[in-house]
Amino acid sequence: TSLLVERSKRSESAIKNALAAEVEPQQNARLLSACRGDVKLRDRLAPYVRLMRTDPWGYPLVHPKGAFVVVLGADRRETGTHYTPKSLTERIVEETLTPLVYDGPAKGAPRAEWKLKTPEQLLDLKVCDPAMGSGAFLVQACRFLSARLVEAWAMEEQTGRVVDLTGQVHEPRTGVESMPPGVEARTESARRIVAERCLYGVDLNPLAVELAKLSLWLVTLSKGRPFGFLDHNLRRGDSLLGISRLEQLTGLSIDPSAMRQGRLFGRAIEQTVAEAVKLRRNLREFPIRDIRDVEAMATLDADAREQLEAAELIADAFIGVVLAADGADVETRIAALAAEADRVVKGDERATERLVERAAKDLAKDSPSGGSRRPFHWPLEFPDVFQSTSAGFDAIVGNPPFLGGQRITGVAGTAYRDWLVAHIAEGRRGSADLVAYFFLRAWSLLRDGGGFGLLAVNTIAEGDTRQVGLEAMVAVGAVIYAAYPSEAWPGQAAVATSRVHVRKGAWNGNLTISSRSVSFISAYLAESPRDEWRPRRLSVNADISFQGSIPLGMGFVLTPDEAQRMLDADSKNVDVLFPYLNGEDLNTDPQQRPSRWVINFWDWPEERAREYSRPWAWVEEKVWPERSKNSRKERRERWWQFGEKTPALYHAIGRGHQFSQHPKTWNADMKPLARVLVCSEVTKHLAFEMIPNTYVMSANLDVFIALDRFAICQSALHDVWARKHSARLETRLKYSPGNAYETFVFPEVSEQVRRLGDDLRYAPCVIDRRADRTDQALQPSAFTERQGRSREGASGPPMRGRYRSRPRLWLD
């Protein structure tokens, strides 16, 4: 059963019910079909049929031995990458590109007065997906633009002009071969031209780049003609890591405005980029009739790449220095790089080899994979886009990866997270989702008058993600002209998404939220006044709210029986064994009892921790193998300690004596608080509770020491405030102490309000027995005796029950 729980992600009771259920005749028949008529195999699998995955037609998925099966790998899910269904790509692309292909929407003109732009203007558009995956958005952009291009050709021909085979328009009686008639044939030609000239894409995964090429080849497939050349515009690299303007490279400064003097090698790089631009413009206008044309384009692309080799190497080395250097060492290393770059651009082979080696080492700093990261330098990869009179993309579309802010370091490394904060978010800190940094990067890559349409999880307008991303963009002039907040994902996943469309420049057109006209759209993706205020954290609320501990290793966690055996073996183990309360315990157990225990060596050195032989041996066996591979040095070297020990929390609640080191402001005479106030960080219903101050609190608990605020926290007023200023996980509230608690103006708590809170806590209510725990071994006796109190005595008056959704106090 435990294996089925792990693999299926279902509860044990759900699995037992599925195994006990009778197999229906239709299910039996479908299972036999999936087993290819093998009755013995069908009979072996029949008990598990309700647990098996099914194909789109409802047949169980059974793979015969030796079959070749293609499945979605875990690496893209780990980095927050997901496939976007066609229903979403169509809507996003149409709403993003419509203001660019028509003259009128951005000016607020009525639909009847919109004017389609000329073929030349349409073919000059540059559309990019910075995390293209298999190319779904680029395919849809190709379809949309080509349809408009065919319309524009027809309008030109109505005036007597001639459209040639490359899509160019000529005056009447010009001696060119005209494009053959017929909507179908012209659509094929338009798609090929658009794919080769207007579409750009980037992805870190090399397989994704090849899949995107295949997707565009299939949509542009034309009988008797070879596949188009797409290598010049579909490239591999990390869209967030690298330079976004050429001046950053020529001045070796992420902030070019801070440069004091030009670099000697800068002029040489500018010249090579100019040469590459000429070659790429030739590529852009190259007609493909047969395979020789494709080969000629490949040669042009190779020549352009060769021109930029030295510049790309210096750019890699520069980003490596920014990633790897510490503090004052940065300027010293930048100066050394400038001297080396002068030799590299002159063709010095030894200098080039040294730079390649150094760049690879720097780019690998704390990389979880151990290999070098792959920066993407936008002005070098697409110089024709960024070295023009209107530098930047006209449109950016896509579904960027979403990855919780606290997971970025584990997936990509500390150096990478520091890069995002310092150089994408310009120093704005917060636990922002990865998607916020893609929004900021997209904004920086747009030309004036351009726009983007991106799909994100609904947290884009919530908490730290909103503050780091949309809020910063709106502050510098971004106009959100259309938003579709909190839409259900079209499928079974319990994910709420938000479509966001942003204009870089003037917008006098209609503003809509979920197709409803509004006067202004704020960073909350809500209608509001233009001068909407953002709440600030109040000093009176500082240092009284905390997040629980992060063990970073399930080997620290014990069952009550395992904990009892350790306590029976040596009573002093009570110093490092504690009941471990998490959000699920808080929300489902009527008495908020911990269901597990945890080993906690606090900040102790190895010598002291080893004195507790049984707990030490346990973590050495179950924690060390995992933590020894951690990307962060401190977590590898101090693997027996929690990943995040949260000393501020335990010192604030009077348990700081358990640490070896203490803050200067700590009062050693402070007695432990009897109780603390907690709530589950992720929850459908926000509910606060007072628990005994004898537990180790999990990271998915938020802990507060102002107990007299219980009634206010539990009020409907605070619930509304929390939902506006916190974030969400899937469709559940993700409470943010920093944004919801520290910004909340708590009224003075009167005796009447305090009594209301006590009445609410201890009021009799019906227990939902489905949530009640039957196990009684939650507090091993040795721990209870050492604490000198019973469960009831430790937690205050015993509760007679608890609502699964605690009622709110309505405060007048």
Side-chain angles (χ1 to χ4, degrees):
T1 302
S2 60
L3 178 62
L4 291 175
V5 169
E6 178 185 348
R7 296 289 177 85
S8 68
K9 306 302 181 185
R10 302 188 191 182
S11 66
E12 187 172 343
S13 60
I15 290 173
K16 289 180 179 178
N17 290 337
L19 294 175
E22 185 177 350
V23 180
E24 299 175 357
Q26 185 181 20
Q27 288 179 309
N28 205 21
R30 288 185 170 184
L31 180 59
L32 183 61
S33 176
C35 293
R36 301 186 179 185
D38 188 332
V39 176
K40 291 184 178 180
L41 180 59
R42 187 274 313 274
D43 293 342
R44 284 175 55 200
L45 296 177
Y48 308 99
V49 68
R50 289 178 176 270
L51 297 173
M52 297 172 66
R53 289 181 295 140
T54 58
D55 64 17
W57 297 272
Y59 284 81
L61 285 173
V62 178
H63 303 307
K65 185 177 180 180
F68 179 78
V69 181
V70 179
V71 297
L72 180 66
D75 57 335
R76 291 188 72 78
R77 291 196 301 273
E78 178 68 16
T79 54
T81 311
H82 303 268
Y83 178 77
T84 313
K86 184 180 178 183
S87 61
L88 286 177
T89 60
E90 287 179 338
R91 283 176 273 174
I92 291 171
V93 166
E94 182 176 354
E95 192 137 19
T96 305
L97 298 187
T98 294
L100 297 170
V101 300
Y102 290 99
D103 184 22
K107 298 177 180 178
R111 179 67 178 84
E113 298 178 12
W114 292 2
K115 183 179 179 181
L116 184 64
K117 293 185 177 180
T118 66
E120 182 181 7
Q121 290 173 317
L122 293 177
L123 289 176
D124 196 43
L125 291 175
K126 303 173 184 65
V127 182
C128 179
D129 184 344
M132 63 183 169
S134 59
F137 281 92
L138 295 179
V139 166
Q140 188 54 40
C142 184
R143 292 180 185 275
F144 181 86
L145 285 177
S146 60
R148 304 293 82 75
L149 183 59
V150 171
E151 292 177 24
W153 285 339
M155 293 171 64
E156 293 290 342
E157 289 178 329
Q158 288 175 2
T159 65
R161 296 186 177 90
V162 179
V163 179
D164 68 15
L165 294 176
T166 67
Q168 303 298 312
V169 179
H170 304 270
E171 292 299 321
R173 295 180 296 278
T174 303
V176 295
E177 184 178 356
S178 63
M179 184 169 289
V183 174
E184 185 175 345
R186 289 195 165 196
T187 298
E188 286 183 359
S189 297
R191 288 180 179 176
R192 292 176 67 90
I193 295 170
V194 166
E196 293 160 6
R197 295 187 57 173
C198 302
L199 304 182
Y200 299 76
V202 184
D203 202 283
L204 184 57
N205 189 328
L207 178 59
V209 177
E210 298 306 315
L211 285 174
K213 291 179 190 175
L214 178 60
S215 298
L216 283 172
W217 281 333
L218 292 175
V219 80
T220 60
L221 195 61
S222 182
K223 185 177 180 181
R225 297 182 66 183
F227 288 142
F229 183 76
L230 303 174
D231 288 6
H232 62 310
N233 282 357
L234 303 183
R235 307 292 297 167
R236 181 193 173 197
D238 188 333
S239 294
L240 299 179
L241 183 64
I243 63 170
S244 57
R245 289 177 290 172
L246 188 61
E247 295 84 354
Q248 293 173 318
L249 175 59
T250 56
L252 291 184
S253 174
I254 296 298
D255 180 10
S257 64
M259 292 187 306
R260 296 182 179 177
Q261 60 181 8
R263 303 288 184 177
L264 294 177
F265 64 87
R267 184 171 297 179
I269 287 180
E270 290 171 351
Q271 291 174 349
T272 59
V273 169
E275 291 297 322
V277 168
K278 292 179 183 178
L279 292 171
R280 285 183 62 86
R281 285 177 179 162
N282 290 338
L283 265 174
R284 186 176 168 84
E285 299 170 1
F286 209 104
I288 296 180
R289 296 181 179 85
D290 56 38
I291 191 64
R292 289 189 294 270
D293 295 327
V294 177
E295 293 171 350
M297 291 184 74
T299 300
L300 276 174
D301 183 55
D303 291 343
R305 294 287 157 206
E306 186 177 357
Q307 288 278 353
L308 296 171
E309 277 185 3
E312 288 184 349
L313 171 57
I314 297 169
D316 281 351
F318 171 50
I319 298 301
V321 169
V322 175
L323 279 177
D326 297 320
D329 189 39
V330 174
E331 290 302 321
T332 302
R333 292 202 55 189
I334 289 293
L337 174 59
E340 200 85 345
D342 291 333
R343 291 188 283 272
V344 169
V345 296
K346 293 175 182 177
D348 187 324
E349 292 186 3
R350 283 192 174 183
T352 300
E353 290 175 2
R354 287 195 300 268
L355 207 59
V356 168
E357 184 178 346
R358 193 175 304 130
K361 181 180 179 181
D362 286 343
L363 291 171
K365 180 180 180 181
D366 82 4
S367 168
S369 67
S372 295
R373 298 177 177 88
R374 191 180 180 95
F376 190 84
H377 308 297
W378 292 89
L380 301 180
E381 296 285 355
F382 303 136
D384 50 316
V385 175
F386 293 93
Q387 301 301 311
S388 63
T389 54
S390 56
F393 291 104
D394 298 276
I396 293 177
V397 293
N399 175 11
F402 44 90
L403 188 68
Q406 294 183 357
R407 295 184 59 203
I408 294 174
T409 300
V411 172
T414 303
Y416 187 85
R417 173 59 192 268
D418 292 344
W419 162 272
L420 296 179
V421 171
H423 304 299
I424 303 295
E426 298 179 344
R428 291 182 298 277
R429 293 191 172 275
S431 184
D433 194 291
L434 183 66
V435 73
Y437 301 104
F438 272 94
F439 270 60
L440 291 169
R441 181 61 110 186
W443 170 256
S444 70
L445 297 174
L446 287 174
R447 67 164 177 82
D448 290 338
F452 71 64
L454 297 175
L455 181 69
V457 284
N458 56 357
T459 56
I460 191 65
E462 299 168 351
D464 291 346
T465 304
R466 181 196 68 251
Q467 294 173 16
V468 169
L470 286 178
E471 209 165 89
M473 290 163 48
V474 170
V476 295
V479 178
I480 304 173
Y481 65 86
Y484 300 83
S486 297
E487 292 185 315
W489 182 264
Q492 296 182 352
V495 176
T497 62
S498 294
R499 286 185 279 149
V500 185
H501 297 271
V502 169
R503 176 83 166 188
K504 191 173 188 177
W507 178 269
N508 297 313
N510 197 23
L511 303 175
T512 61
I513 297 178
S514 300
S515 301
R516 175 177 57 87
S517 293
V518 297
S519 59
F520 180 73
I521 304 175
S522 73
Y524 290 85
L525 302 186
E527 184 178 13
S528 65
R530 289 180 179 270
D531 58 348
E532 180 179 59
W533 292 354
R534 177 168 67 89
R536 299 290 184 183
R537 298 183 181 186
L538 306 177
S539 58
V540 70
N541 294 336
D543 302 325
I544 57 177
S545 61
F546 307 89
Q547 184 187 35
S549 304
I550 303 177
L552 201 62
M554 286 305 297
F556 287 107
V557 181
L558 308 171
T559 66
D561 289 339
E562 290 165 343
Q564 185 67 65
R565 286 194 291 270
M566 287 190 187
L567 291 169
D568 291 342
D570 191 340
S571 61
K572 80 171 185 177
N573 287 339
V574 74
D575 295 338
V576 296
L577 297 177
F578 301 90
Y580 185 49
L581 185 72
N582 61 24
E584 184 180 2
D585 297 330
L586 189 75
N587 283 345
T588 60
D589 189 283
Q591 296 182 15
Q592 291 80 51
R593 297 173 298 181
S595 61
R596 298 178 296 177
W597 283 61
V598 71
I599 300 171
N600 189 353
F601 287 120
W602 307 99
D603 64 340
W604 297 352
E606 181 178 345
E607 295 76 15
R608 183 177 177 184
R610 279 183 176 275
E611 295 174 7
Y612 300 83
S613 56
R614 289 283 289 270
W616 174 268
W618 181 278
V619 297
E620 188 172 33
E621 176 186 352
K622 299 183 180 296
V623 176
W624 181 82
E626 176 185 353
R627 287 280 292 275
S628 63
K629 302 174 184 177
N630 194 277
S631 60
R632 294 173 62 173
K633 180 180 179 182
E634 181 182 358
R635 291 178 173 178
R636 289 195 308 271
E637 294 182 350
R638 296 184 176 272
W639 54 266
W640 64 92
Q641 298 174 2
F642 283 2
E644 295 295 338
K645 298 176 280 293
T646 57
L649 162 62
Y650 293 100
H651 281 87
I653 62 179
R655 293 166 64 184
H657 64 278
Q658 292 167 310
F659 284 83
S660 297
Q661 299 181 2
H662 312 285
K664 293 180 180 179
T665 57
W666 179 56
N667 179 8
D669 297 327
M670 177 183 177
K671 295 181 179 180
L673 300 177
R675 292 177 292 169
V676 292
L677 187 64
V678 297
C679 74
S680 179
E681 182 185 38
V682 178
T683 181
K684 183 178 180 180
H685 304 288
L686 180 59
F688 290 78
E689 183 55 81
M690 294 185 191
I691 64 167
N693 185 18
T694 55
Y695 304 154
V696 165
M697 276 71 75
S698 164
N700 57 22
L701 287 180
D702 294 321
V703 187
F704 313 88
I705 60 177
L707 303 185
D708 59 342
R709 293 180 174 182
F710 168 75
I712 308 299
C713 289
Q714 196 56 42
S715 69
L717 183 64
H718 186 67
D719 185 84
V720 171
W721 182 268
R723 292 182 187 279
K724 180 174 177 62
H725 296 289
S726 293
R728 271 171 285 182
L729 180 65
E730 298 170 346
T731 57
R732 296 168 292 165
L733 172 69
K734 190 174 186 293
Y735 188 83
S736 170
N739 294 315
Y741 187 88
E742 293 186 28
T743 62
F744 189 77
V745 180
F746 285 91
E748 184 178 348
V749 181
S750 65
E751 186 60 33
Q752 181 183 9
V753 172
R754 188 178 287 107
R755 284 200 303 269
L756 282 172
D758 290 340
D759 290 344
L760 177 63
R761 282 198 68 230
Y762 304 127
C765 57
V766 178
I767 296 175
D768 185 339
R769 291 298 175 187
R770 291 172 299 176
D772 197 10
R773 301 284 176 83
T774 57
D775 56 298
Q776 298 298 318
L778 296 175
Q779 295 249 8
S781 56
F783 178 84
T784 304
E785 292 167 3
R786 181 65 174 264
Q787 298 300 316
R789 65 189 70 177
S790 65
R791 282 200 301 274
E792 291 76 10
S795 59
M799 289 186 66
R800 290 155 59 185
R802 180 175 187 254
Y803 292 103
R804 285 177 66 76
S805 175
R806 183 184 291 286
R808 301 257 163 248
L809 286 179
W810 292 92
L811 301 178
D812 294 328

